[in-house]
Each structure stands twice: as C-alpha cells, then as structure tokens.
Amino acid sequence: AYDAVKYLTNKGHRKIAFLSDSVGSVDSARLKGFQSALQDAGIDYRDEDFLRLNPWEDQIEESLKDICDRLDRYTAVFCVSDLYAVTLIAALVDAGKRVPEDISVIGFDDNMLAKLRRPGLTTVHQEIEKKGVIAAETLITMLNGESVPEQIILGTELVIRDTVRDIRADSE
C-alpha cells in the first residue's frame, strides 16, 4: 500500500481515499502503509478518508452510491483489493465518471480482474501461490507444536497500468 500511495503522490495526488470493507488484519496493515505514505508526503490522514464499502448483496448498491458521492472530494482512491477497485470503477462509470480522467484508482492483488479490465488496473502484485505455500507450511509447523513468526511479510511490486492520471501539470 505504501508503494501505491507513494506512486499517487508522485503523480501529484494530495486528496487520496482508502477503500475497504473493514479493518481486519490484512486491511489494517494496508491502512498503515497508506497512512505512512501520506505522512511521508506531508499529507494528513483524516478519518473521513476511510471509505467503507458494504459488500453485502442487499447493501452494496447503496454503499457504492454513497462512496461515489464522497469521492468528489478526492483525486484518487486506493482500494484494498482488485475486486473492490473493479467494483468501484463500474459504479463510477455508471455515475458518469471516467477513470483515470476524473479520478485515479489503484487496486491490490494483481489478479485476473486487474489484467482483463479496460483501462488496465494499476495495482500491487503479490505472489498468491507463494502466499499459499507459506500458509500451508506455517500451518504444518503449528500442528507440529513448533513456534511460528507472529507476522510474515512477503514482497510486493507495483504494476503500473492505465488507471492513474498524472495531475502534476494540472496544478501548475
């Protein structure tokens, strides 16, 4: 998340929202990276920058409408997953917004959705297969009564595609 938000700030974005459905352990770590990148860029994080998506089928449409209305205050949004990024982009398009012309969007995972979407989704790549192998190995280690690290951090890589606009020229 840090690298994604740093990329946004390097492109001139100063009003960046964070989109998630909760602050579970993974999303909490991504929120910390988001906040750290903002701080390093001299941007204050405010609680209203956290946009909560309610993904339940009977509530998602209303949730997306509220989020789209709130995004008028932002130039970019970091989504905790590619699924949420693609879902948000669809709602933005339905609301008459263009990505990245009106708002930039970054996802996280670099899954098939990010690769197939047009415009191509800028995202953070993580090695899902490696994550699964390490999870299985960790579980086996735990079942054998051995200690495991409290946290395992795997490397990521920013994949730049087409959903982020450079707005530096706009502010000159």
Side-chain angles (χ1 to χ4, degrees):
Y2 181 92
D3 291 341
V5 176
K6 183 177 178 182
Y7 177 71
L8 288 170
T9 61
N10 287 342
K11 293 294 183 183
H13 295 274
R14 310 257 328 142
K15 298 175 184 174
I16 306 167
F18 179 91
L19 178 74
S20 175
D21 62 1
S22 66
V23 186
S25 61
V26 171
D27 289 358
S28 178
R30 291 177 188 171
L31 179 59
K32 286 179 185 173
F34 175 89
Q35 292 168 325
S36 182
L38 289 181
Q39 183 178 17
D40 288 353
I43 302 169
D44 292 329
Y45 171 79
R46 302 163 304 154
D47 288 339
E48 59 262 25
D49 296 337
F50 185 101
L51 304 178
R52 185 179 181 279
L53 177 65
N54 192 332
W56 300 107
E57 188 174 346
D58 62 336
Q59 299 171 352
I60 192 167
E61 193 172 317
E62 184 177 329
S63 179
L64 284 166
K65 183 185 178 325
D66 177 58
I67 289 167
C68 287
D69 291 344
R70 291 176 62 196
L71 282 176
D72 285 342
R73 295 177 267 191
Y74 297 93
T75 61
V77 58
F78 170 82
C79 301
V80 296
S81 71
D82 290 345
L83 174 62
Y84 287 175
V86 169
T87 301
L88 175 64
I89 290 170
L92 288 165
V93 169
D94 289 347
K97 304 286 184 186
R98 299 167 302 150
V99 175
E101 295 85 358
D102 298 324
I103 188 158
S104 294
V105 177
I106 288 186
F108 198 107
D109 291 324
D110 194 27
N111 64 24
M112 189 62 69
L113 292 171
K115 296 171 184 169
L116 294 176
R117 165 133 212 16
R118 294 297 173 261
L121 181 63
T122 297
T123 187
V124 178
H125 176 82
Q126 61 176 336
E127 294 184 48
I128 298 295
E129 295 83 10
K130 184 176 183 179
K131 190 176 180 180
V133 167
I134 290 173
E137 290 171 348
T138 302
L139 179 59
I140 291 168
T141 302
M142 290 172 65
L143 291 172
N144 289 332
E146 300 173 39
S147 65
V148 296
E150 187 175 310
Q151 184 178 35
I152 299 171
I153 299 174
L154 302 177
T156 59
E157 177 184 345
L158 183 64
V159 177
I160 299 169
R161 293 194 180 102
D162 305 314
T163 55
V164 173
R165 187 171 134 228
D166 189 335
I167 63 169
R168 290 175 294 187
D170 297 348
S171 59
E172 294 176 356

